[in-house]
Amino acid sequence: MTTALITHADCLNHVTPTGHPERVARLEHVLHALEPLDLRRVTAPLAADDDLLRIHPAGYIADIRDARPEEGFTQIDGDTFLSPGSVDAAFRAAGAVVRAVDMVLGGEVQNAFCAIRPPGHHAERETAMGFCLFGNAALAAKHALDHHGLRRVAVVDFDVHHGNGTQDLLWDEARALLITSQQMPLWPGSGRPDEDGAHGQIVNIPLAPGTGGAEMRAAYTAQAFPRLRAFKPELIIISAGFDAHQDDPLANLNWSTADFTWLTAELCTLAQELCQGRIVSTLEGGYDLNALAAASRAHVQELIKAAT
Ligand SMILES: [Zn+2]
């Protein structure tokens, strides 16, 4: 079995204003870092509207399409911009996770990493925000549940920011366990432990500024892994943001690249124990280019190790 790398050149055509942290160079660095690795390279399709309708209403999808500028930028919120290439990039990003779920559940590959942008975990049902247009991780979960008929999926979000969008999209979804760790306090401000979903199936793990690898490992070991074991997911989806890295400029956690290796390896071991190793991982944040490259490479190397 192999690991799929799913991406599309359109994701490099989502341009943001000069100085914006969520920039084209991020994905270029990730792809460059993954170049030497033994991966099955897959071109991301455009998501179909029928896919996106699992998480966003038709009017919202139409609004995103209509916001595409002929040139320059459309600003959607304080820090979310569309360039002429952004709509196609967003549809490729969503299409990537759908394809990843199809490939992993179809037994074509053991696991998959979607190297995509824009990221997704801040996009709520009817609100684009925080660099995100479509809720990619929640879409992967819904596609696995509704299209493939799985009964239980888990989403693990280790981006340093709270996955408020994924939480919003999966709030009522009893078939999806969401475990999300985030620095608190930090934008967007949500992610307290009492935000636990309509069925108690959301686990928020706030981490104080300065939290390093040892505390992170203890928190995941105590709060995340037992919930995953108890829930027995048939697929694990990872919102893989690398901005908890100690070098990241947007936040103040102190994880090292080795901590991302450890966390990925633990999730692979759990996936092996619980769901035949099935993992779909999708890129979220990570804004120091070198740290992003190193940590995403470490993450994918563990996926590859688990697939062989
Ligand atoms: Zn983030």
Side-chain angles (χ1 to χ4, degrees):
M1 292 285 270
T2 52
T3 297
L5 170 64
I6 309 183
T7 187
H8 196 284
D10 282 355
C11 293
L12 297 167
N13 292 329
H14 166 49
V15 179
T16 50
T18 306
H20 195 285
E22 204 296 279
R23 56 207 192 276
V24 173
R26 294 181 60 244
L27 182 54
E28 291 173 340
H29 274 66
V30 169
L31 293 174
H32 182 70
L34 301 183
E35 229 166 58
L37 303 186
D38 182 20
L39 292 156
R40 178 157 162 202
R41 285 150 213 282
V42 178
T43 302
L46 293 164
D49 281 23
D50 283 348
D51 294 325
L52 288 167
L53 285 167
R54 298 189 197 282
I55 52 168
H56 298 297
Y60 174 81
I61 299 166
D63 286 348
I64 294 291
R65 270 206 182 91
D66 292 346
R68 176 187 175 278
E70 287 297 318
E71 56 183 52
F73 301 104
T74 307
Q75 183 167 8
I76 296 194
D77 82 343
D79 46 27
T80 309
F81 295 83
L82 265 67
S83 71
S86 298
V87 173
D88 279 356
F91 275 81
R92 293 290 179 191
V97 299
V98 170
R99 182 87 180 92
V101 169
D102 289 343
M103 290 185 78
V104 169
L105 295 184
E108 292 177 67
V109 292
Q110 178 66 67
N111 51 39
F113 180 68
C114 301
I116 50 88
R117 51 185 293 280
H121 74 149
H122 296 306
E124 300 185 343
R125 191 168 158 73
E126 298 190 67
T127 309
M129 60 185 276
F131 320 156
C132 299
L133 301 178
F134 298 137
N136 302 322
L139 172 59
K142 288 286 197 181
H143 182 69
L145 294 167
D146 293 345
H147 180 76
H148 288 279
L150 295 195
R151 287 169 299 172
R152 292 176 310 281
V153 302
V155 179
V156 178
D157 183 332
F158 59 71
D159 189 281
V160 78
H161 301 95
H162 181 228
N164 62 291
T166 309
Q167 174 169 295
D168 177 58
L169 293 165
L170 297 179
W171 186 264
D172 296 326
E173 180 50 85
R175 299 170 298 171
L177 171 70
L178 169 62
I179 296 174
T180 168
S181 64
Q182 51 275 343
Q183 179 182 323
M184 184 168 279
L186 187 67
W187 188 93
S190 50
R192 296 185 317 273
D194 63 348
E195 299 164 32
D196 62 353
H199 309 277
Q201 87 290 8
I202 293 177
V203 181
N204 270 294
I205 306 176
L207 301 171
T211 295
E215 301 101 307
M216 177 278 282
R217 294 179 193 209
Y220 267 86
T221 301
Q223 299 173 59
F225 302 156
R227 289 295 297 263
L228 279 166
R229 283 206 173 86
F231 188 74
K232 296 183 175 58
E234 297 163 290
L235 170 70
I236 295 177
I237 295 157
I238 301 177
S239 260
F242 299 97
D243 40 10
H245 195 283
Q246 58 203 6
D247 294 340
D248 197 274
L250 294 198
N252 314 96
L253 296 192
N254 285 320
W255 301 10
S256 66
T257 299
D259 292 319
F260 289 99
T261 298
W262 177 85
L263 183 49
T264 308
E266 291 290 316
L267 292 172
C268 287
T269 301
L270 277 162
Q272 202 59 51
E273 179 187 322
L274 298 170
C275 53
Q276 300 110 58
R278 301 194 291 202
I279 291 179
V280 168
S281 177
T282 183
L283 180 63
E284 300 285 0
Y287 303 98
D288 178 86
L289 296 178
N290 292 329
L292 171 64
S296 60
R297 180 181 160 126
H299 174 68
V300 174
Q301 278 176 320
E302 290 307 309
L303 294 179
I304 293 171
K305 222 185 273 179
T308 49

